[in-house]
Amino acid sequence: MTVHIGVIGTGMIGQDHIRRITDVVTGAEVVAVTDVDAERAKEAADRVGTRALPTGQDIIADPLVDAVVVTSWGPTHAEYVLASIEAGKYVFCEKPLATTAEDGLRILEAEQAFGKRLVQVGFMRRYDAGYRSMKRVIDSGEIGAPLLLHCVHRNATVPETYHSDMAVQDTAVHEIDIVRWLLDDEIVATQVIRPRKTSKRFEHLQDPQLMLFETASGVRIDLEVFVNCQYGYDIQCETVGETGTVRLPDPADVWVRRAARHGTTVLQDWRPRFAAAFDLEFVEWVASIRNGQLTGPSSWDGYAVSVISDATVESLHSGRVVSVQLKDRPAFYGG
Ligand code: NAP
């Protein structure tokens, strides 16, 4: 069975997913695309020999479309996810699932009313080989109970349009999801500390930020978000357990010794760092649709990350510890 996919939003990541579904994933085919920019949609469709339809609603209603990929602008996601559930179609939604907690809850209710998981959210780090190995080590118990996580998220630079809240909403959301998944534990409190600002970028931007999270079982997580570190894209994570530690490997490259120095490259961009994870995310998503049972990040994860992200932005502005107010996790989502 081939999974026939319709893509809503043919911008940067939408085009990348269309290429991925066409060139990397077996058992799937892009059968229609759309974008508010009709010319952009047509160019994306022509590249893979498929159709461009006028609107996202046309994609969801199209009888040839079995599953929908939502890669449009964030505030449009909830509407397309809800319409896909109503049509009884699988939907892969890039983050954010919703930009308000209310919309997140509406999605949870609609999916439960349908009676089967249809929604997967694009938290692709769960498909990264390093994070998967780290989770295996934690779950095996070989480092004892986890006590602390030290995380770092650095970008070389960001454009002037990037503002302080985006350090949480666009950047830290990936760590928020991955630590919940690594620990199988929920974040219950959050705080942002504002260190001295770098002079290398914009006056309006609080950069770096130090985010502190606490989980229900008492694990403490510190996350440095520094999006103008100048030297490259650098993701680090170390879990400290009772009897040992486990940390992410650096991306593999050769080490060069010359002129009294010893060094390797630092990636400059997130795309090569997580390219293999994005590929595996789609391979597994399509396989799970073919098996009739989704296994990836759920709409509960999308909702929880949005609520934790909102609480973290609140702390960025107030400087106070903010407790996270999540609804009880429904049994439908393994609660
Ligand atoms: P982008 O390049 O701006 O692409 C979004 C596209 O959707 C644009 O072509 C936009 O058109 C179009 N669009 C906006 N509203 C639409 C609507 N109602 N119906 C159809 N098309 C619509 O943005 P992007 O970087 O690809 O990001 C897209 C989403 O993916 C964002 O939510 C982002 O957070 C997420 N993302 C996730 C990751 C990850 O690591 N998982 C990485 C990158 C992006 P206009 O430009 O004309 O508005």
Side-chain angles (χ1 to χ4, degrees), residues 153-213:
H153 189 141
R154 299 190 188 126
N155 298 65
T157 56
V158 289
E160 195 163 4
T161 48
Y162 189 103
H163 53 80
S164 298
D165 292 6
M166 289 169 76
V168 180
Q169 293 160 337
D170 271 27
T171 302
V173 285
H174 287 295
E175 269 82 11
I176 292 173
D177 176 69
I178 204 71
V179 299
R180 298 172 59 254
W181 177 75
L182 283 170
L183 298 169
D184 203 9
D185 198 358
E186 200 51 89
I187 290 174
V188 295
T190 170
Q191 184 180 19
V192 180
I193 290 169
R194 297 163 162 255
R196 176 183 179 180
K197 286 201 279 191
T198 175
S199 64
K200 301 291 180 199
R201 288 303 261 185
F202 317 108
E203 185 49 38
H204 71 262
L205 183 61
Q206 174 58 55
D207 187 39
Q209 297 180 24
L210 185 61
M211 302 177 192
L212 304 174
F213 304 103

Side-chain angles (χ1 to χ4, degrees), residues 211-227:
M211 302 177 192
L212 304 174
F213 304 103
E214 182 180 3
T215 72
S217 72
V219 178
R220 293 287 185 151
I221 299 135
D222 56 83
L223 165 62
E224 171 202 314
V225 175
F226 186 14
V227 293

Side-chain angles (χ1 to χ4, degrees), residues 300-315:
W300 172 261
D301 296 309
Y303 158 77
V305 171
S306 307
V307 173
I308 298 161
S309 159
D310 287 351
T312 308
V313 170
E314 188 184 329
S315 174

Side-chain angles (χ1 to χ4, degrees), residues 81-82 84-86 97 102-119 298-301 303 327-335:
V81 170
L82 284 164
S84 301
I85 296 171
E86 198 175 325
L97 174 65
E102 292 71 33
D103 276 350
L105 287 172
R106 284 169 63 210
I107 291 169
L108 294 177
E109 280 160 18
E111 193 175 32
Q112 288 175 85
F114 183 80
K116 177 184 170 186
R117 268 199 64 193
L118 292 176
V119 182
S298 68
S299 38
W300 172 261
D301 296 309
Y303 158 77
K327 299 280 177 201
D328 290 339
R329 183 175 174 141
F332 185 84
Y333 297 104

Side-chain angles (χ1 to χ4, degrees), residues 8-15 17 34-37 40 55-56 70-77 79-80 94-96 122-124 170 174 270 278 281:
I8 302 176
T10 56
M12 188 266 297
I13 197 95
Q15 289 181 36
H17 289 338
T34 191
D35 196 284
V36 281
D37 182 335
R40 193 181 299 149
T55 68
V70 179
T71 44
S72 49
W73 189 46
T76 64
H77 290 183
E79 168 199 343
Y80 292 134
E94 266 305 344
K95 56 93 183 161
F123 292 128
M124 79 297 176
D170 271 27
H174 287 295
W270 54 271
F278 278 114
E281 177 183 45

Side-chain angles (χ1 to χ4, degrees), residues 318-331:
S318 71
R320 285 196 283 273
V321 177
V322 176
S323 63
V324 174
Q325 306 292 338
L326 285 177
K327 299 280 177 201
D328 290 339
R329 183 175 174 141

